[in-house]
């Protein structure tokens, strides 16, 4: 199939674009910024690289038509929870404004299948047991609200027969795929890259919150290897291509690890300590987010190949360049 991947330059987008190209799809990568300066990344010949803004409905319609796109994987968007608390309008603009423009362009170009990058953030504050898809969606930050709004829009469009979708609710993407993607954002806010930078620089990693009700007091997350996450998009596209019904699914391992456990795992992989310092809770952070991964297994046959935290941190350590 001809697949447009928005946000193809990002940490997860690269992994998705490569996984789809490896699976034989003709991938058109679409991103705000050019991909070239990233060296060896994105060299697969079947990945075309376009620069554009998902909020540009006309440009997108043209792109979908020019490349005879069959399906869209939509990852482009703003992703920093704490920033969404201080700059909510930018999140509504990119994540919802961009989503509307993209969906209008898809309808105009008669592209009817979309895999949408949703988030565990749609659930908000939750119970200690892994969350199933039926769990109440009650986001606790603007980022999560923009993702939930997109899910609602997709539900309405599905009911109207306009598009079919798979919304993938990512838990915490982590780790690296050698030669394809390394976790890196500008600015960096994520735990594993920040911890690796702390280990390299000696400047302590701030641990945001030590008084959560999680055993050791630090926040707990469900870390999914980015290569496994990418593969979930491949099987979601296959499902839609075979005429499968619209779905919203967790991409989760069902395993929770605290910030302190992630730091300890990184220390094992590095063979040296990561300096840390206790800091206040970060605004918008839920205490714990762990997903049930059984529905995606039942519907799409997806199971994580690398659920073990030490595998994930080892891949991050091997790929990290300070
Ligand atoms: N953390 C620290 N120190 C840091 C960075 C993070 O203690 O320097 C903590 C956070 O407070 C949090 C945990 O490590 O408890 C994980 O934080 P990340 O920033 O790595 O990831 P988040 O869980 O905040 O965010 C991820 C995705 C978001 C998504 C969210 C779902 O990056 O896009 O999961 O809630 F929305």
């Amino acid at each position: 199939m001809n697949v447009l991947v928005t946000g193809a330059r990002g940490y997860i987008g690269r992994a998705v674009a490569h996984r789809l190209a490896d699976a034989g799809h003709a991938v058109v990568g679409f991103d705000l910024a050019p991909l070239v300066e990233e060296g060896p990344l994105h060299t697969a010949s079947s990945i075309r690289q376009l620069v554009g803004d998902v909020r540009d409905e006309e440009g997108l319609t043209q792109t979908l038509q020019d490349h005879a796109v069959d399906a869209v994987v939509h990852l482009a968007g703003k992703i920093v929870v704490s920033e969404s608390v201080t700059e909510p309008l930018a999140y509504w603009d990119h994540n919802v404004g961009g989503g509307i423009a993209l969906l209008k362009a898809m309808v105009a170009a008669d592209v009817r299948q979309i895999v949408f990058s949703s988030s565990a953030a749609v659930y908000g504050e939750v119970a200690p047991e892994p969350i199933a898809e039926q769990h109440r969606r009650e986001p606790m930050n603007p980022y999560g609200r923009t993702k939930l709004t997109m899910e609602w829009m997709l539900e309405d469009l599905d009911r109207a027969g306009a598009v079919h979708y798979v919304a993938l609710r990512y838990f915490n993407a982590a780790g690296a795929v050698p030669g394809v993607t390394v976790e890196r954002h500008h600015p960096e806010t994520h735990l594993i890259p920040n911890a690796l930078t702390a280990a390299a620089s000696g400047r302590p990693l701030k641990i945001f919150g030590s008084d959560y009700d999680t055993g050791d007091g630090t926040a707990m997350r469900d870390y999914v290897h980015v290569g496994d996450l990418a593969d979930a998009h491949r099987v979601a596209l296959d499902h839609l291509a075979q005429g499968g019904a619209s779905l919203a699914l967790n991409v989760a391992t069902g395993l929770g690890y605290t910030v302190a456990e992630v730091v300890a795992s990184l220390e094992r992989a590095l063979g040296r300590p990561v300096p840390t310092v206790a800091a206040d809770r970060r605004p918008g952070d839920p205490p714990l987010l762990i997903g049930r991964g059984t529905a995606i297994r039942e519907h799409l046959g997806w199971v994580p190949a690398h659920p073990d935290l030490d595998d994930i941190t080892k891949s991050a350590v091997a790929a990290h360049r300070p």
Side-chain angles (χ1 to χ4, degrees):
M1 282 203 295
N2 297 334
V3 183
L4 183 83
V5 178
T6 73
R9 182 179 184 266
Y11 164 54
I12 301 170
R14 287 171 202 282
V16 170
H18 273 260
R19 188 68 199 91
L20 297 180
D22 286 348
H25 294 296
V27 175
V28 180
F30 188 90
D31 206 297
L32 265 180
L35 309 165
V36 281
E37 79 270 24
E38 297 290 346
L41 299 173
H42 257 295
T43 50
S45 56
S46 52
I47 302 177
R48 285 163 180 262
Q49 303 170 17
L50 303 180
V51 175
D53 190 323
V54 284
R55 294 167 298 179
D56 171 14
E57 182 192 332
E58 242 173 68
L60 269 173
T61 308
Q62 196 63 52
T63 298
L64 294 170
Q65 287 167 343
D66 288 350
H67 297 275
V69 168
D70 300 300
V72 172
V73 179
H74 179 43
L75 296 102
K78 288 191 155 289
I79 61 154
V80 181
V81 171
S82 54
E83 184 187 57
S84 80
V85 177
T86 53
E87 290 179 42
L89 198 50
Y91 278 70
W92 285 93
D93 181 23
H94 283 263
N95 295 5
V96 177
I100 292 174
L102 172 63
L103 287 162
K104 280 180 164 174
M106 285 176 61
V107 171
D110 200 25
V111 179
R112 303 292 175 170
Q113 298 170 7
I114 180 167
V115 176
F116 172 60
S117 150
S118 189
S119 170
V122 299
Y123 297 119
E125 191 149 357
V126 292
E129 60 272 9
I131 315 157
E133 284 78 358
Q134 298 72 29
H135 191 92
R136 191 156 153 200
R137 291 177 292 177
E138 201 171 25
M140 59 182 290
N141 50 60
Y143 167 77
R145 275 192 274 278
T146 64
K147 291 291 181 183
L148 178 53
T149 302
M150 284 298 296
E151 287 197 6
W152 281 333
M153 201 153 30
L154 290 169
E155 287 165 18
D156 289 343
L157 289 171
D158 177 62
R159 270 185 224 111
V163 296
H164 295 298
Y165 70 89
V166 176
L168 295 175
R169 294 182 187 149
Y170 305 166
F171 283 67
N172 285 57
V177 178
V180 172
T181 199
V182 177
E183 187 172 9
R184 193 185 298 137
H185 306 88
H186 306 287
E188 189 53 80
T189 60
H190 289 78
L191 176 60
I192 291 176
N194 277 354
L196 292 174
T197 300
S201 69
R203 278 191 304 277
L205 168 77
K206 286 186 186 165
I207 297 197
F208 298 129
S210 307
D211 56 352
Y212 289 115
D213 188 13
T214 55
D216 65 29
T218 62
M220 192 179 270
R221 296 287 184 273
D222 182 330
Y223 293 90
V224 182
H225 192 287
V226 67
D228 288 334
L229 183 54
D231 206 44
H233 298 73
R234 178 185 64 82
V235 291
L237 270 181
D238 289 350
H239 169 83
L240 291 173
Q242 288 154 16
S246 293
L247 294 167
L249 298 169
N250 291 340
V251 190
T253 66
L255 305 169
Y257 295 102
T258 64
V259 172
E261 286 171 330
V262 172
V263 169
S265 173
L266 284 166
E267 288 176 333
R268 283 193 291 279
L270 286 162
R272 62 196 156 92
V274 174
T276 62
V277 60
D280 288 344
R281 292 181 178 196
R282 195 168 61 174
D285 270 357
L288 77 180
L289 266 180
I290 305 157
R292 248 170 81 175
T294 45
I296 190 166
R297 187 173 66 216
E298 282 157 22
H299 288 281
L300 305 182
W302 180 89
V303 280
H306 303 288
D308 185 64
L309 180 62
D310 282 346
D311 282 352
I312 292 172
T313 54
K314 265 186 226 151
S315 76
V317 165
H320 184 74
R321 300 278 171 278

